[in-house]
Amino acid sequence: HRLKTSRSNVRVPAFVMEKLHLSYLGSSARSMGLYDGLAKVLAALRRDDLPVIVLKGAHLAELVYANRALRPMSDVDLLVAENDLVRVESVLLGMGYTPLEQVRVVDRDNKHFSYRSAERSLCVEVHWTLAPSTGPFEIDTAGQWRRARAAVIAGVEVAVLGPEDLLLHLCLHACEHSFAMGLKCLCDINRSLEHYGDDIDWGLLQSCGRQWGASRCAYLTFRLGSELLGIPVPDETMETLEPNDRDESVVATARAQILSAGTARGHLAVDTLWRSERLGDRAAALLRIAGVVFPPREVLAREYPLRSDSIRIYLGYPLHWRDLLRKHGRSIWRLLRSDDEMRALAAREREIAALRAWVSR
Protein backbone atom coordinates (compact mmCIF):
# COMPACT_ATOMS: atom_id res chain seq x y z
CA HIS A 1 0.00 0.00 0.00
CA ARG A 2 2.80 2.44 0.89
CA LEU A 3 4.73 1.62 -2.28
CA LYS A 4 1.69 2.09 -4.47
CA THR A 5 0.52 5.34 -2.90
CA SER A 6 3.84 7.08 -2.29
CA ARG A 7 5.24 9.59 -4.79
CA SER A 8 8.68 8.04 -4.69
CA ASN A 9 10.36 7.29 -8.00
CA VAL A 10 12.00 4.18 -6.60
CA ARG A 11 11.44 1.25 -8.96
CA VAL A 12 10.36 -1.93 -7.17
CA PRO A 13 10.96 -5.26 -8.96
CA ALA A 14 7.75 -6.76 -10.30
CA PHE A 15 8.21 -10.05 -8.43
CA VAL A 16 8.45 -8.15 -5.14
CA MET A 17 5.25 -6.24 -5.82
CA GLU A 18 3.54 -9.50 -6.80
CA LYS A 19 4.57 -11.16 -3.55
CA LEU A 20 3.34 -8.18 -1.52
CA HIS A 21 0.10 -8.16 -3.52
CA LEU A 22 -0.55 -11.82 -2.72
CA SER A 23 0.10 -11.10 0.95
CA TYR A 24 -2.39 -8.24 0.78
CA LEU A 25 -5.03 -10.48 -0.81
CA GLY A 26 -4.48 -13.12 1.87
CA SER A 27 -4.89 -10.52 4.62
CA SER A 28 -8.02 -9.20 2.95
CA ALA A 29 -9.56 -12.69 2.77
CA ARG A 30 -8.81 -13.40 6.44
CA SER A 31 -10.28 -10.04 7.43
CA MET A 32 -13.50 -10.78 5.55
CA GLY A 33 -14.05 -13.94 7.58
CA LEU A 34 -13.05 -12.32 10.85
CA TYR A 35 -15.32 -9.29 10.41
CA ASP A 36 -18.22 -11.49 9.37
CA GLY A 37 -17.97 -13.30 12.71
CA LEU A 38 -17.39 -10.05 14.60
CA ALA A 39 -20.48 -8.45 13.05
CA LYS A 40 -22.64 -11.31 14.33
CA VAL A 41 -21.16 -11.08 17.84
CA LEU A 42 -21.55 -7.30 18.06
CA ALA A 43 -25.11 -7.45 16.71
CA ALA A 44 -26.06 -10.10 19.28
CA LEU A 45 -24.59 -8.05 22.13
CA ARG A 46 -26.39 -4.95 20.91
CA ARG A 47 -29.73 -6.81 20.78
CA ASP A 48 -29.23 -7.67 24.46
CA ASP A 49 -28.39 -4.03 25.31
CA LEU A 50 -24.83 -4.94 26.33
CA PRO A 51 -22.45 -1.97 25.86
CA VAL A 52 -19.10 -2.90 24.34
CA ILE A 53 -15.87 -1.09 23.46
CA VAL A 54 -14.02 -2.60 20.49
CA LEU A 55 -10.29 -2.65 21.23
CA LYS A 56 -7.03 -2.64 19.27
CA GLY A 57 -7.04 -4.50 15.95
CA ALA A 58 -10.69 -4.32 14.92
CA HIS A 59 -10.84 -0.64 15.91
CA LEU A 60 -7.57 0.20 14.17
CA ALA A 61 -8.21 -1.70 10.95
CA GLU A 62 -11.64 -0.24 10.30
CA LEU A 63 -11.35 3.33 11.55
CA VAL A 64 -7.67 4.23 11.82
CA TYR A 65 -6.15 2.39 8.85
CA ALA A 66 -9.50 2.66 7.04
CA ASN A 67 -8.66 -0.60 5.24
CA ARG A 68 -9.24 -3.92 6.99
CA ALA A 69 -6.54 -5.68 4.96
CA LEU A 70 -3.79 -3.30 6.14
CA ARG A 71 -4.03 -4.28 9.81
CA PRO A 72 -4.00 -8.09 10.20
CA MET A 73 -5.13 -9.60 13.50
CA SER A 74 -5.44 -13.07 14.95
CA ASP A 75 -8.37 -12.45 17.33
CA VAL A 76 -10.82 -9.80 18.47
CA ASP A 77 -10.61 -7.90 21.77
CA LEU A 78 -13.72 -6.44 23.37
CA LEU A 79 -14.10 -4.47 26.61
CA VAL A 80 -17.32 -4.92 28.58
CA ALA A 81 -18.44 -3.95 32.07
CA GLU A 82 -17.43 -6.48 34.70
CA ASN A 83 -21.04 -6.72 35.84
CA ASP A 84 -22.04 -7.78 32.30
CA LEU A 85 -19.60 -10.69 31.99
CA VAL A 86 -22.20 -13.37 32.76
CA ARG A 87 -24.66 -11.99 30.23
CA VAL A 88 -21.96 -11.59 27.58
CA GLU A 89 -20.90 -15.20 28.10
CA SER A 90 -24.50 -16.33 27.81
CA VAL A 91 -24.76 -14.61 24.43
CA LEU A 92 -21.52 -16.18 23.17
CA LEU A 93 -22.43 -19.66 24.40
CA GLY A 94 -25.80 -19.31 22.69
CA MET A 95 -23.95 -18.58 19.44
CA GLY A 96 -21.93 -21.78 19.75
CA TYR A 97 -18.74 -20.28 21.14
CA THR A 98 -16.60 -22.42 23.45
CA PRO A 99 -14.73 -20.91 26.44
CA LEU A 100 -10.98 -21.59 26.42
CA GLU A 101 -10.63 -21.29 30.21
CA GLN A 102 -12.04 -24.21 32.18
CA VAL A 103 -13.03 -22.01 35.13
CA ARG A 104 -13.93 -18.37 34.55
CA VAL A 105 -13.65 -16.38 37.76
CA VAL A 106 -12.62 -12.75 37.87
CA ASP A 107 -9.47 -12.50 39.94
CA ARG A 108 -6.62 -10.06 40.54
CA ASP A 109 -4.26 -11.84 38.15
CA ASN A 110 -6.48 -11.99 35.05
CA LYS A 111 -8.11 -9.44 32.76
CA HIS A 112 -10.08 -11.34 30.10
CA PHE A 113 -11.73 -14.61 29.13
CA SER A 114 -11.38 -16.15 25.67
CA TYR A 115 -14.04 -17.83 23.52
CA ARG A 116 -13.65 -19.67 20.19
CA SER A 117 -16.35 -19.98 17.56
CA ALA A 118 -17.79 -23.38 16.69
CA GLU A 119 -15.97 -23.42 13.34
CA ARG A 120 -12.77 -22.23 15.13
CA SER A 121 -12.47 -19.30 12.74
CA LEU A 122 -12.69 -16.55 15.37
CA CYS A 123 -11.38 -16.11 18.91
CA VAL A 124 -12.98 -13.37 21.01
CA GLU A 125 -11.21 -12.05 24.10
CA VAL A 126 -13.70 -10.45 26.48
CA HIS A 127 -11.91 -7.94 28.73
CA TRP A 128 -13.23 -6.18 31.80
CA THR A 129 -9.95 -4.27 32.27
CA LEU A 130 -6.77 -3.72 30.26
CA ALA A 131 -4.32 -4.96 32.91
CA PRO A 132 -4.55 -7.29 35.92
CA SER A 133 -4.48 -5.61 39.32
CA THR A 134 -1.49 -7.73 40.39
CA GLY A 135 0.71 -5.75 38.00
CA PRO A 136 2.18 -2.27 38.37
CA PHE A 137 -0.55 -0.52 36.35
CA GLU A 138 -3.76 0.92 37.78
CA ILE A 139 -6.07 1.28 34.81
CA ASP A 140 -8.87 3.84 35.08
CA THR A 141 -11.52 1.66 33.45
CA ALA A 142 -14.37 3.93 34.51
CA GLY A 143 -12.61 6.88 32.90
CA GLN A 144 -12.12 4.91 29.69
CA TRP A 145 -15.86 4.29 29.49
CA ARG A 146 -16.58 8.00 30.08
CA ARG A 147 -14.13 9.05 27.35
CA ALA A 148 -15.19 6.34 24.86
CA ARG A 149 -16.53 7.47 21.50
CA ALA A 150 -19.41 6.18 19.43
CA ALA A 151 -18.36 4.32 16.29
CA VAL A 152 -19.55 1.81 13.71
CA ILE A 153 -17.49 -1.39 13.52
CA ALA A 154 -18.48 -4.24 11.19
CA GLY A 155 -21.70 -2.36 10.48
CA VAL A 156 -22.77 -2.26 14.16
CA GLU A 157 -22.97 0.79 16.44
CA VAL A 158 -20.48 0.30 19.28
CA ALA A 159 -17.89 2.36 21.14
CA VAL A 160 -14.11 2.69 20.82
CA LEU A 161 -11.50 4.13 23.15
CA GLY A 162 -10.78 7.84 22.96
CA PRO A 163 -7.49 8.63 21.19
CA GLU A 164 -5.57 9.23 24.42
CA ASP A 165 -6.71 5.93 25.94
CA LEU A 166 -6.04 4.16 22.64
CA LEU A 167 -2.44 5.42 22.49
CA LEU A 168 -1.76 4.47 26.11
CA HIS A 169 -3.28 1.04 25.53
CA LEU A 170 -1.00 0.48 22.53
CA CYS A 171 2.02 1.51 24.61
CA LEU A 172 1.02 -0.80 27.45
CA HIS A 173 0.46 -3.68 25.03
CA ALA A 174 3.89 -3.17 23.45
CA CYS A 175 5.59 -3.22 26.86
CA GLU A 176 3.51 -6.18 28.05
CA HIS A 177 4.97 -8.20 25.18
CA SER A 178 8.46 -6.69 25.61
CA PHE A 179 8.24 -5.24 22.09
CA ALA A 180 8.40 -8.75 20.60
CA MET A 181 5.67 -7.81 18.09
CA GLY A 182 8.22 -5.81 16.11
CA LEU A 183 7.33 -2.67 14.19
CA LYS A 184 3.62 -3.49 14.20
CA CYS A 185 2.99 -1.72 17.51
CA LEU A 186 4.84 1.39 16.33
CA CYS A 187 2.97 1.39 13.01
CA ASP A 188 -0.31 1.32 14.95
CA ILE A 189 0.74 4.35 16.99
CA ASN A 190 2.06 6.21 13.96
CA ARG A 191 -1.17 5.67 12.02
CA SER A 192 -3.27 6.64 15.07
CA LEU A 193 -1.40 9.94 15.34
CA GLU A 194 -1.95 10.60 11.63
CA HIS A 195 -5.64 9.78 11.96
CA TYR A 196 -6.51 11.72 15.11
CA GLY A 197 -4.00 14.59 14.66
CA ASP A 198 -4.97 17.75 16.53
CA ASP A 199 -7.86 15.92 18.20
CA ILE A 200 -5.39 14.35 20.66
CA ASP A 201 -5.27 16.00 24.09
CA TRP A 202 -1.63 15.48 25.06
CA GLY A 203 -2.21 16.95 28.52
CA LEU A 204 -4.92 14.36 29.14
CA LEU A 205 -2.64 11.60 27.87
CA GLN A 206 0.11 12.67 30.27
CA SER A 207 -2.36 12.86 33.17
CA CYS A 208 -3.75 9.39 32.43
CA GLY A 209 -0.23 8.02 32.06
CA ARG A 210 0.66 9.22 35.54
CA GLN A 211 -2.62 7.94 37.01
CA TRP A 212 -2.15 4.49 35.46
CA GLY A 213 1.55 4.31 36.30
CA ALA A 214 2.21 3.95 32.57
CA SER A 215 4.36 7.01 31.89
CA ARG A 216 7.49 4.89 31.42
CA CYS A 217 5.71 2.67 28.91
CA ALA A 218 4.53 5.70 26.98
CA TYR A 219 7.97 7.36 27.04
CA LEU A 220 9.81 4.26 25.87
CA THR A 221 7.32 3.38 23.13
CA PHE A 222 7.05 6.95 21.83
CA ARG A 223 10.83 7.35 21.84
CA LEU A 224 11.35 4.18 19.83
CA GLY A 225 8.59 5.22 17.46
CA SER A 226 10.25 8.59 16.96
CA GLU A 227 13.67 7.04 16.32
CA LEU A 228 12.54 4.23 14.02
CA LEU A 229 9.49 5.65 12.23
CA GLY A 230 9.67 9.39 12.84
CA ILE A 231 6.51 9.39 14.95
CA PRO A 232 5.68 13.06 15.71
CA VAL A 233 5.21 13.20 19.48
CA PRO A 234 5.41 16.78 20.88
CA ASP A 235 8.73 17.60 22.56
CA GLU A 236 6.91 18.91 25.63
CA THR A 237 5.13 15.57 26.05
CA MET A 238 8.39 13.63 25.76
CA GLU A 239 10.06 15.88 28.33
CA THR A 240 7.15 15.41 30.74
CA LEU A 241 7.07 11.62 30.29
CA GLU A 242 10.84 11.12 30.51
CA PRO A 243 11.76 9.50 33.86
CA ASN A 244 14.63 10.73 36.00
CA ASP A 245 16.37 7.36 35.82
CA ARG A 246 16.37 6.96 32.04
CA ASP A 247 18.34 3.83 31.18
CA GLU A 248 19.87 3.67 27.70
CA SER A 249 20.51 -0.06 28.04
CA VAL A 250 16.75 -0.57 28.42
CA VAL A 251 16.14 1.49 25.28
CA ALA A 252 18.72 -0.61 23.42
CA THR A 253 17.07 -3.84 24.56
CA ALA A 254 13.63 -2.67 23.44
CA ARG A 255 15.04 -1.55 20.09
CA ALA A 256 16.73 -4.92 19.59
CA GLN A 257 13.46 -6.68 20.43
CA ILE A 258 11.61 -4.70 17.77
CA LEU A 259 14.24 -5.31 15.11
CA SER A 260 14.55 -9.03 15.86
CA ALA A 261 10.83 -9.76 16.16
CA GLY A 262 9.95 -13.38 15.47
CA THR A 263 13.08 -14.83 17.04
CA ALA A 264 11.98 -17.72 19.23
CA ARG A 265 12.88 -17.56 22.87
CA GLY A 266 11.76 -19.07 26.13
CA HIS A 267 11.51 -17.82 29.71
CA LEU A 268 14.92 -18.84 30.99
CA ALA A 269 14.84 -17.68 34.60
CA VAL A 270 16.68 -20.90 35.49
CA ASP A 271 19.82 -19.52 33.83
CA THR A 272 19.67 -16.35 35.92
CA LEU A 273 19.25 -18.44 39.05
CA TRP A 274 22.29 -20.61 38.44
CA ARG A 275 24.69 -18.18 36.79
CA SER A 276 24.05 -14.77 38.33
CA GLU A 277 26.44 -13.56 41.02
CA ARG A 278 23.96 -11.03 42.42
CA LEU A 279 21.86 -12.35 45.28
CA GLY A 280 18.91 -10.13 44.37
CA ASP A 281 18.85 -11.39 40.78
CA ARG A 282 19.01 -14.99 41.93
CA ALA A 283 16.21 -14.47 44.45
CA ALA A 284 14.01 -12.82 41.82
CA ALA A 285 14.70 -15.66 39.38
CA LEU A 286 13.86 -18.22 42.06
CA LEU A 287 10.53 -16.53 42.71
CA ARG A 288 9.75 -16.48 38.99
CA ILE A 289 10.53 -20.18 38.67
CA ALA A 290 8.44 -21.01 41.73
CA GLY A 291 5.53 -19.04 40.32
CA VAL A 292 5.69 -20.96 37.06
CA VAL A 293 6.19 -24.42 38.57
CA PHE A 294 3.77 -23.97 41.50
CA PRO A 295 1.07 -21.55 40.30
CA PRO A 296 -1.81 -20.62 42.63
CA ARG A 297 -4.77 -22.98 42.72
CA GLU A 298 -6.95 -20.36 41.03
CA VAL A 299 -4.61 -20.36 38.03
CA LEU A 300 -4.73 -24.17 37.80
CA ALA A 301 -8.51 -24.05 37.93
CA ARG A 302 -8.52 -21.86 34.81
CA GLU A 303 -6.24 -24.30 32.96
CA TYR A 304 -7.86 -27.61 33.90
CA PRO A 305 -11.42 -28.76 34.72
CA LEU A 306 -10.85 -28.65 38.48
CA ARG A 307 -12.33 -26.48 41.22
CA SER A 308 -9.88 -24.34 43.17
CA ASP A 309 -11.73 -25.05 46.47
CA SER A 310 -11.57 -28.84 46.02
CA ILE A 311 -8.83 -31.19 47.18
CA ARG A 312 -8.79 -32.48 43.60
CA ILE A 313 -7.15 -29.23 42.48
CA TYR A 314 -3.79 -30.70 43.53
CA LEU A 315 -4.18 -33.25 40.73
CA GLY A 316 -3.66 -30.31 38.41
CA TYR A 317 0.00 -29.87 39.37
CA PRO A 318 1.22 -33.09 37.63
CA LEU A 319 -0.75 -32.04 34.55
CA HIS A 320 0.79 -28.58 34.72
CA TRP A 321 4.32 -30.00 35.06
CA ARG A 322 3.69 -32.32 32.11
CA ASP A 323 2.63 -29.37 29.96
CA LEU A 324 5.65 -27.31 31.11
CA LEU A 325 8.01 -30.11 30.07
CA ARG A 326 6.30 -30.40 26.71
CA LYS A 327 6.66 -26.68 26.13
CA HIS A 328 10.07 -25.91 27.65
CA GLY A 329 11.78 -29.25 28.30
CA ARG A 330 13.94 -29.20 25.20
CA SER A 331 15.07 -25.63 25.80
CA ILE A 332 16.02 -26.33 29.43
CA TRP A 333 17.94 -29.45 28.41
CA ARG A 334 19.91 -27.48 25.82
CA LEU A 335 20.59 -24.80 28.40
CA LEU A 336 21.88 -27.34 30.92
CA ARG A 337 24.25 -28.65 28.26
CA SER A 338 25.56 -25.08 27.74
CA ASP A 339 24.26 -24.94 24.18
CA ASP A 340 25.68 -21.73 22.65
CA GLU A 341 22.40 -20.67 21.08
CA MET A 342 20.52 -21.19 24.31
CA ARG A 343 23.17 -19.33 26.28
CA ALA A 344 22.70 -16.39 23.92
CA LEU A 345 18.93 -16.57 24.39
CA ALA A 346 19.44 -16.72 28.15
CA ALA A 347 21.53 -13.56 27.99
CA ARG A 348 18.76 -11.87 25.99
CA GLU A 349 16.22 -13.04 28.58
CA ARG A 350 18.17 -11.31 31.34
CA GLU A 351 18.11 -8.09 29.33
CA ILE A 352 14.37 -8.44 28.78
CA ALA A 353 13.86 -9.03 32.52
CA ALA A 354 15.65 -5.73 33.16
CA LEU A 355 13.39 -4.04 30.60
CA ARG A 356 10.26 -5.37 32.32
CA ALA A 357 11.53 -4.31 35.72
CA TRP A 358 12.27 -0.78 34.48
CA VAL A 359 8.86 -0.13 32.93
CA SER A 360 7.18 -1.55 36.05
CA ARG A 361 8.80 0.83 38.54
Side-chain angles (χ1 to χ4, degrees), residues 24-273:
Y24 173 85
L25 292 177
S27 176
S28 180
R30 288 189 297 273
S31 294
M32 288 176 64
L34 185 147
Y35 273 90
D36 179 65
L38 175 61
K40 295 173 182 175
V41 169
L42 295 179
L45 295 176
R46 182 170 176 80
R47 283 195 298 271
D48 276 33
D49 294 322
L50 288 165
V52 59
I53 294 177
V54 177
L55 300 172
K56 289 191 307 176
H59 169 191
L60 292 167
E62 182 131 347
L63 301 184
V64 176
Y65 285 87
N67 184 334
R68 295 174 179 178
L70 295 183
R71 189 10 176 108
M73 66 196 85
S74 58
D75 53 27
V76 169
D77 297 85
L78 306 177
L79 180 67
V80 304
E82 184 176 333
N83 292 337
D84 289 337
L85 284 173
V86 173
R87 292 177 60 204
V88 170
E89 176 170 286
S90 178
V91 170
L92 291 173
L93 295 181
M95 298 177 67
Y97 279 75
T98 302
L100 300 187
E101 293 86 3
Q102 297 289 345
V103 177
R104 294 169 302 287
V105 177
V106 175
D107 212 333
R108 298 181 63 249
D109 66 339
N110 58 357
K111 60 179 180 178
H112 65 73
F113 300 136
S114 302
Y115 303 83
R116 181 178 290 132
S117 62
E119 61 277 12
R120 305 178 69 86
S121 60
L122 178 62
C123 181
V124 178
E125 290 190 352
V126 179
H127 295 247
W128 57 92
T129 183
L130 299 187
S133 58
T134 53
F137 308 113
E138 299 180 6
I139 307 300
D140 177 24
T141 305
Q144 290 175 328
W145 280 99
R146 289 195 304 271
R147 294 185 291 270
R149 300 185 174 191
V152 176
I153 303 289
V156 182
E157 294 182 8
V158 292
V160 294
L161 293 176
E164 301 81 14
D165 291 310
L166 170 64
L167 289 169
L168 283 175
H169 184 203
L170 294 174
C171 291
L172 280 173
H173 190 65
C175 289
E176 178 186 4
H177 292 275
S178 303
F179 296 94
M181 297 175 295
L183 288 168
K184 183 177 181 180
C185 59
L186 302 185
C187 289
D188 286 345
I189 291 173
N190 189 38
R191 189 67 190 93
S192 297
L193 292 178
E194 292 176 358
H195 177 73
Y196 287 107
D198 295 337
D199 198 24
I200 299 171
D201 184 339
W202 289 102
L204 175 61
L205 185 146
Q206 295 167 36
S207 175
C208 290
R210 288 191 299 270
Q211 181 182 2
W212 299 7
S215 294
R216 289 171 182 266
C217 284
Y219 169 77
L220 183 57
T221 309
F222 287 154
R223 175 172 167 178
L224 291 167
S226 177
E227 292 178 0
L228 296 174
L229 295 184
I231 290 177
V233 179
D235 292 338
E236 181 181 352
T237 297
M238 291 301 295
E239 292 172 1
T240 301
L241 293 173
E242 183 176 353
N244 296 327
D245 60 342
R246 186 183 68 188
D247 189 338
E248 290 302 317
S249 66
V250 166
V251 178
T253 297
R255 186 186 301 111
Q257 280 285 95
I258 289 175
L259 298 179
S260 62
T263 301
R265 65 177 183 84
H267 296 284
L268 303 174
V270 65
D271 180 79
T272 305
L273 173 64

Side-chain angles (χ1 to χ4, degrees), residues 273-347:
L273 173 64
W274 289 351
R275 304 182 190 279
S276 177
E277 296 180 358
R278 295 178 56 184
L279 181 60
D281 289 343
R282 296 185 67 173
L286 181 60
L287 289 174
R288 287 166 57 199
I289 293 173
V292 171
V293 177
F294 299 100
R297 291 177 298 175
E298 292 75 15
V299 173
L300 282 181
R302 292 199 294 269
E303 293 182 7
Y304 308 103
L306 300 166
R307 291 178 49 181
S308 61
D309 59 353
S310 169
I311 191 67
R312 291 173 56 84
I313 190 63
Y314 293 102
L315 297 176
Y317 283 101
L319 298 174
H320 176 70
W321 298 332
R322 177 204 63 190
D323 293 340
L324 281 179
L325 285 175
R326 286 177 176 175
K327 185 176 182 180
H328 300 293
R330 184 181 177 188
S331 296
I332 294 175
W333 175 245
R334 290 173 60 191
L335 181 63
L336 295 177
R337 295 179 60 189
S338 296
D339 181 288
D340 289 341
E341 181 182 355
M342 294 304 296
R343 291 292 303 278
L345 287 175

